[in-house]
Amino acid sequence: DELRYMTIRLGSTQATPKHREELSSFFDHLTLPSLLSLEIRCESTIDYYPVSPSLLGMIRRSQASLSNLILGSSAVTGGHLVSLLRLLPSLKGLSLVGMRTIDDVLSNLTLKGGNGIEDNLCPRLEDMAFWDIDGMSVSRFSDCILSRWGGPSKVGEERKDSERSLEKVYVNGCFSYDELPENVLKLKDEGLELDVINLINNILPG
């Protein structure tokens, strides 16, 4: 129960139905209250569905303060991922790789108005990374980022909105920098670390 970092990578040579069934049942036997970081990545040719009821069950049982999630699988749908993120209110780092579409995820990650943000999905995100997402909506991405930016601050001072903790956004192979609207590009001048490139490789951002 002291495991804090878990990485599971499923390659093409392991893509048998038996292995997929064994991996799902593997989560049934785990309770990891100290888990801080979870990475699950599958080759693009694998149809394994990593956000399974078994994985969700493990997260619920563990009640861990998971702070980092890296998920790479073309089999994951927006609905699957939203179900997982609802269980991770303390998440600070989110990296999504090689998914078909995440428009529903971006909409759910867009912070809504009101007196506070705690009722929103993953309200404490600081670092977001998106790699090779098929058909990623620039407008939904922009709405999400704008909603999470706390505004500029002078050195040594708190942000204008200290609840909104976004600091860094990395986008690779989803759309071009020139497609972003001006109000998003201006966030770089206000202090947001924003990188948008179109060079795909297998190395995740640090």
Side-chain angles (χ1 to χ4, degrees), residues 15-203:
T16 66
K18 180 180 179 181
H19 278 102
R20 292 196 290 268
E21 181 179 348
E22 288 176 348
L23 183 54
S24 291
S25 63
F26 168 72
F27 293 121
D28 288 333
H29 303 284
L30 291 178
T31 301
L32 304 172
S34 300
L35 189 65
L36 297 176
S37 179
L38 175 64
E39 176 179 354
I40 304 177
R41 298 189 69 186
C42 307
E43 295 290 340
S44 59
T45 56
I46 308 300
D47 61 355
Y48 173 67
Y49 165 44
V51 186
S52 63
S54 296
L55 174 62
L56 296 179
M58 183 198 76
I59 298 295
R60 291 190 187 97
R61 281 193 310 276
S62 299
Q63 296 183 340
S65 297
L66 197 75
S67 59
N68 188 56
L69 174 67
I70 299 172
L71 188 59
S73 171
S74 60
V76 175
T77 69
H80 299 158
L81 185 51
V82 169
S83 296
L84 175 59
L85 294 177
R86 291 194 189 285
L87 302 176
L88 305 175
S90 60
L91 199 68
K92 293 183 178 180
L94 174 64
S95 297
L96 303 178
V97 185
M99 297 183 183
R100 294 191 180 98
T101 179
I102 60 166
D103 286 354
D104 288 346
V105 178
L106 290 172
S107 294
N108 278 274
L109 284 173
T110 300
L111 298 183
K112 308 303 186 290
N115 297 325
I117 65 171
E118 292 301 328
D119 292 334
N120 285 273
L121 199 67
C122 302
R124 298 301 172 191
L125 277 177
E126 298 176 359
D127 188 336
M128 303 172 73
F130 307 95
W131 285 62
D132 192 23
I133 306 297
D134 186 28
M136 185 168 168
S137 168
V138 176
S139 63
R140 294 197 187 188
F141 167 84
S142 299
D143 289 343
C144 178
I145 299 308
L146 288 166
S147 77
R148 288 181 172 269
W149 177 240
S153 63
K154 296 179 181 179
V155 176
E157 293 183 0
E158 294 292 332
R159 284 181 175 179
K160 288 183 178 180
D161 187 342
S162 59
E163 282 192 316
R164 299 171 195 264
S165 52
L166 187 65
E167 297 178 357
K168 181 178 179 181
V169 179
Y170 184 93
V171 181
N172 190 335
C174 303
F175 47 73
S176 70
Y177 185 85
D178 294 338
E179 291 180 74
L180 288 173
E182 188 65 26
N183 57 348
V184 174
L185 296 177
K186 285 182 178 179
L187 299 186
K188 291 191 69 173
D189 297 330
E190 296 184 3
L192 177 67
E193 292 185 49
L194 175 63
D195 291 307
V196 179
I197 59 177
N198 271 306
L199 178 64
I200 298 298
N201 55 47
N202 292 322
I203 304 175

Side-chain angles (χ1 to χ4, degrees), residues 7-19:
T7 299
I8 297 174
R9 299 195 179 192
L10 187 62
S12 58
T13 58
Q14 300 169 297
T16 66
K18 180 180 179 181
H19 278 102

